[in-house]
């Protein structure tokens, strides 16, 4: 699946519009104007979108989900909702389908109780392993699958893995959720089980390419776990970045430029070549001290500042717990402990994913300003 994902976790609530609509290179803009994706088959992420966010605890622990099969850039209701809704934990996802048809049930994020899950990438040989994957999970998780995407089946596998670990998603979590350690171990187990199912494919049924791109994101409303993963020792995973700081706001230079502009800030028709916000400001992440009040995770950077973004290493997990970011390697048969180990970006590019070349964020910046 060719998608872009975005996560916001902050000490304070933020208007959804300040994250997904207003920045000049927001995820909405990326849905039709990605600077890193090299996919001529599907140049736009126009097969639906989804936004998930947590509300006041008085309303319950479950997140609120808004999905639509309308392209994000063409949905007036998204603009109406985002300009009047605040949250301190937000998931956003735009989709270009490769598995599953165009329907609301196939739009991310997926939820169960207080858990929320989304995926960028694809499970290798999914059609070949789908029946065995379905047979390997409990009835409760099997019947919970409403759509037809490999991503939702991965979520079902995650829920089943949690239950096998002794942390049933059907039970109410504690005041701090299930805990970041539980979520991370369940996500690692999900990846391990997917790899095992693929490894067990008989030779006569094995397709030529069985590699998976598994950039997952999961949260219980308290902690967030993301993975950047490819089931290959020689290939690069789909891109993933994070940024942290104390303030997320328009840059002064961008605001000054907007004030001198004579064109309308919200104009006309909506199309992939005419964005909702033609004069949208460039945002930036500021850090006034060593702490972090805000953490952003994105498939493609949301700002043009070189020092705003850090590349998440291939085959690793990113944990956000109380605004602290932790990176852990995923040590399995596809892990390399050699820091000079070089991976090729061709596989991710053939799947329509963003590619990070060897210079990392520096070359990302060059792509963004083209």
């Amino acid at each position: 699946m060719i998608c872009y994902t975005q996560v916001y976790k902050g000490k304070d609530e933020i208007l959804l519009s300040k994250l997904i609509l207003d920045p000049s290179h927001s995820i909405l803009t990326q849905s039709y104007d990605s600077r890193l994706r090299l996919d001529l088959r599907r140049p736009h992420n126009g097969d639906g979108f989804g936004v998930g966010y947590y509300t006041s605890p008085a309303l319950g622990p479950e997140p609120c989900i808004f999905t639509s099969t309308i392209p994000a850039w063409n949905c007036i209701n998204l603009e109406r909702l985002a300009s009047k809704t605040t949250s301190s934990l937000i998931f956003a996802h735009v989709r270009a389908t490769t598995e599953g048809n165009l329907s609301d049930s196939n739009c991310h994020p997926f939820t169960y109780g207080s858990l929320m899950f989304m995926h960028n990438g694809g499970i290798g040989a999914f059609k070949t392993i789908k029946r065995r994957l379905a047979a390997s999970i409990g009835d409760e998780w099997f019947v919970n699958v409403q759509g037809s995407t490999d991503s939702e089946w991965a979520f079902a596998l995650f829920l089943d893995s949690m239950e096998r670990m002794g942390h049933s998603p059907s039970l109410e979590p504690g005041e701090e959720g299930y805990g970041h350690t539980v979520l991370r171990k369940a996500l690692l187990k999900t990846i391990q089980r997917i790899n095992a199912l693929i490894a067990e494919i008989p030779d006569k049924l094995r397709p030529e390419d069985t590699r998976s791109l598994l950039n997952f994101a999961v949260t219980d409303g308290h902690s967030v776990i993301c993975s950047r993963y490819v089931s290959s020792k020689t290939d690069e995973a789909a891109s993933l970045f994070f940024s942290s700081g104390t303030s997320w706001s328009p840059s002064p230079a961008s605001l000054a430029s907007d004030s001198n502009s004579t064109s309308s800030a919200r104009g006309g028709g909506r199309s992939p070549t005419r964005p909702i916000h033609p004069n949208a400001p460039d945002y930036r992440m500021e850090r006034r001290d060593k702490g972090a009040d805000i953490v952003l995770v994105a498939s493609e950077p949301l700002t043009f500042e070189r020092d705003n973004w850090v590349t998440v290493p291939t085959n690793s997990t990113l944990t956000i717990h109380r605004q602290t970011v932790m990176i852990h390697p995923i040590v399995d048969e596809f892990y390399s402990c050699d820091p000079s180990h070089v991976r090729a970006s061709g596989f991710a590019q053939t799947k329509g994913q963003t590619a990070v070349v060897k210079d990392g964020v520096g070359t990302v910046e060059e792509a963004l300003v083209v």
Side-chain angles (χ1 to χ4, degrees), residues 79-110:
E79 188 172 1
R80 291 166 174 164
L81 174 80
S83 63
K84 297 295 182 181
T85 304
T86 62
S87 179
S88 60
L89 207 172
I90 305 165
F91 274 20
H93 188 278
V94 291
R95 180 173 185 254
T97 178
T98 55
E99 290 287 351
N101 56 15
L102 188 62
S103 68
D104 278 308
S105 60
N106 283 336
C107 291
H108 310 217
F110 305 106

Side-chain angles (χ1 to χ4, degrees), residues 21-22 79 258-259 261-268 270 274-281:
L21 296 182
D22 295 346
E79 188 172 1
D258 286 350
S259 66
S261 174
T262 58
S263 59
S264 171
R266 293 176 183 265
R270 295 173 170 84
R274 187 172 185 180
I276 292 177
H277 299 247
N279 293 324

Side-chain angles (χ1 to χ4, degrees), residues 15-83:
L15 269 175
L16 269 62
S17 60
K18 293 185 180 296
L19 183 71
I20 62 177
L21 296 182
D22 295 346
S24 61
H25 203 58
S26 67
I27 193 170
L28 182 143
T29 302
Q30 293 174 24
S31 68
Y32 59 80
D33 185 22
S34 166
R35 303 298 178 86
L36 300 184
R37 194 167 104 193
L38 302 174
D39 183 27
L40 301 179
R41 302 165 302 160
R42 292 180 175 85
H44 305 131
N45 284 319
D47 293 333
F49 68 90
V51 180
Y53 54 92
Y54 291 85
T55 56
S56 167
L59 300 178
E62 300 85 3
C64 179
I65 303 292
F66 175 60
T67 60
S68 175
T69 57
I70 299 173
W73 64 77
N74 206 38
C75 184
I76 186 64
N77 286 326
L78 175 61
E79 188 172 1
R80 291 166 174 164
L81 174 80
S83 63

Side-chain angles (χ1 to χ4, degrees), residues 277-325:
H277 299 247
N279 293 324
D282 294 339
Y283 271 60
R284 69 178 182 181
M285 182 74 78
E286 293 184 343
R287 181 181 289 274
R288 299 191 184 97
D289 52 50
K290 293 183 179 181
D293 298 329
I294 298 167
V295 181
L296 295 176
V297 185
S299 299
E300 183 168 311
L302 309 182
T303 77
F304 302 101
E305 302 285 340
R306 176 191 293 267
D307 60 355
N308 272 187
W309 297 91
V310 178
T311 302
V312 178
T314 285
N315 286 22
S316 62
T317 59
L318 177 148
T319 299
I320 309 172
H321 177 62
R322 295 177 180 172
Q323 312 314 117
T324 298
V325 176

Side-chain angles (χ1 to χ4, degrees), residues 160-200:
D160 187 78
S161 296
M162 275 191 67
E163 184 177 51
R164 292 188 183 194
M165 290 166 51
H167 302 274
S168 175
S170 297
L171 300 178
E172 286 291 325
E175 292 185 2
E176 294 295 321
Y178 297 99
H180 63 92
T181 301
V182 170
L183 297 181
R184 180 174 172 272
K185 288 183 177 179
L187 199 65
L188 292 175
K189 188 64 177 178
T190 301
I191 293 172
Q192 182 184 31
R193 291 174 69 178
I194 290 171
N195 287 342
L197 287 166
I198 294 172
E200 293 166 1

Side-chain angles (χ1 to χ4, degrees), residues 5 7 214-216 225-230 236-244 295-301 308-320 325-330 343 354-357 360-361 364:
T5 58
V7 175
L214 305 178
N215 282 20
F216 294 136
I225 311 294
C226 301
S227 63
R228 183 182 180 214
Y229 185 86
V230 60
E236 192 67 81
S239 62
L240 193 67
F241 307 87
F242 79 91
S243 179
S244 61
V295 181
L296 295 176
V297 185
S299 299
E300 183 168 311
N308 272 187
W309 297 91
V310 178
T311 302
V312 178
T314 285
N315 286 22
S316 62
T317 59
L318 177 148
T319 299
I320 309 172
V325 176
M326 297 171 280
I327 304 289
H328 298 93
I330 299 176
R343 292 174 177 267
T354 60
V356 183
V357 289
V361 175
V364 169

